[in-house]
Amino acid sequence: MSEAFEFGGRLPAAFMNPGTSSFAEFLGQVAPDLLPGRRELPQGTGAHLTPDATTIVALTFPGGVVLAGDRRATSGNVIANRDMDKLFRTDEFSAVAIAGAAGIGIELAKLFQVELEHYEKMEGRSLSLEGKANKLATMIRGNLPMALQGFVVVPLLVGYDLAREAGRIFSYDPVGGRYEEHRYHSVGSGSVYAKGALKKLYSEDFSQQDAVFAAVQSLYDAADDDSATGGPDVHRKIYPLVDVITEDGHQRLPADEVERVATQVVEGRAQRPDGPTAPLR
């Protein structure tokens, strides 16, 4: 511990000045080694030895947006965790989910939570959804040194835009590029299969229940073809996590409700293993 933080010592000037409304910038000034992208890795650490979070899906419906994720994390060909939480409420009207290097991704998501809280306290108002998306892009860009070593984090940001009165989805690349996605999107190792399912199932007039059902169906399809994605585990009672954000704010769907939807999907697959089909015409 430095002398400045010893008991009875004087706090650094940065703690006493009004400072910036960005907590990440403040942290970079007073303790840069605490930022996820500035960490020093132990010698010999390889990205293939760290757990990776896998598949995340998001889709909009009239009145909001649904975010869902499987629960599996893998280290190479080994299941590192069966019930990981990859979805994080960032404020009342937004949430972020992570795919990629799990440890850094979780730190980044929690730092983003603090970033939004700090901004609101300093400015007396919350950021717009566009502002949140831009803030997260800057933070991902700060992780570039880690990404170049293989510790890539690819988050997905969703939220309800109060100005537009609609749900929105933002995706990112490893260098901080920000892209708005329309209707639906997926990231992670099983994303190709999840997006393929949503491409056939998605409808512009989905109800919230329809959107949740389609999200769980797409995660099942991802798990069906991607070994790193975990499907519903009825024996251990491990099911996807699902968040819904509307004008009423963020809601994590109760476990029993998700279990009911997942059980319905599993029972349907017993009769039709490849799942529901879209009409040809």
Side-chain angles (χ1 to χ4, degrees):
M1 182 180 291
S2 66
E3 293 182 3
F5 290 95
E6 289 180 358
F7 182 77
R10 177 174 293 182
L11 288 172
F15 285 84
M16 308 304 293
N17 296 329
T20 174
S21 58
S22 170
F23 183 78
E25 289 181 14
F26 170 76
L27 198 59
Q29 294 170 7
V30 300
D33 56 305
L34 295 181
L35 291 170
R38 303 279 188 91
R39 293 290 177 85
E40 290 188 11
L41 299 176
Q43 289 288 351
T45 301
H48 65 286
L49 299 178
T50 64
D52 284 323
T54 49
T55 310
I56 303 296
V57 300
L59 59 156
T60 60
F61 64 93
V65 60
V66 168
L67 180 67
D70 81 310
R71 308 293 297 278
R72 180 173 293 178
T74 59
S75 292
N77 65 331
V78 176
I79 297 175
N81 194 300
R82 297 181 186 276
D83 59 353
M84 180 181 174
D85 187 347
K86 308 169 189 176
L87 278 55
F88 300 88
R89 176 189 184 276
T90 47
D91 69 4
E92 187 178 359
F93 293 102
S94 66
V96 68
I98 59 162
I104 295 175
I106 292 171
E107 283 194 11
L108 187 69
K110 292 184 176 180
L111 181 59
F112 185 54
Q113 291 174 324
V114 178
E115 177 82 359
L116 298 186
E117 291 175 4
H118 182 76
Y119 180 92
E120 188 168 349
K121 289 176 181 177
M122 295 293 288
E123 299 294 333
R125 60 185 176 86
S126 60
L127 270 170
S128 66
L129 188 56
E130 287 275 356
K132 296 170 191 174
N134 292 335
K135 281 278 189 185
L136 185 54
T138 301
M139 295 174 65
I140 296 168
R141 200 169 297 120
N143 189 57
L144 184 57
M146 286 290 195
L148 293 174
Q149 297 180 68
F151 295 88
V152 178
V153 178
V154 185
L156 196 61
L157 173 68
V158 303
Y160 183 80
D161 192 321
L162 294 170
R164 295 192 184 186
E165 298 184 342
R168 300 174 68 184
I169 304 168
F170 295 92
S171 68
Y172 300 85
D173 62 30
V175 298
R178 192 212 79 173
Y179 314 95
E180 181 167 5
E181 308 293 345
H182 301 284
R183 305 167 72 215
Y184 57 84
H185 193 64
S186 179
V187 295
S189 62
S191 60
V192 173
Y193 310 110
K195 285 183 70 175
L198 289 174
K199 187 175 183 179
K200 303 302 181 187
L201 296 175
Y202 184 83
S203 175
E204 300 281 358
D205 61 354
F206 266 169
S207 66
Q208 176 179 313
Q209 292 76 16
D210 292 335
V212 170
F213 188 74
V216 176
Q217 287 278 14
S218 69
L219 288 174
Y220 191 105
D221 278 324
D224 202 29
D225 289 297
D226 173 45
S227 61
T229 303
D233 191 332
V234 295
H235 300 296
R236 295 185 178 90
K237 293 191 176 298
I238 299 174
Y239 302 100
L241 293 177
V242 182
D243 289 354
V244 178
I245 307 174
T246 66
E247 63 179 352
D248 296 323
H250 174 280
Q251 176 195 9
R252 169 66 55 86
L253 289 192
D256 57 348
E257 183 175 343
V258 178
E259 180 180 357
R260 178 183 57 78
V261 174
T263 301
Q264 186 178 353
V265 170
V266 171
E267 290 174 350
R269 295 299 177 114
Q271 303 300 321
R272 182 178 257 174
D274 292 330
T277 57
L280 183 60
R281 296 180 184 276

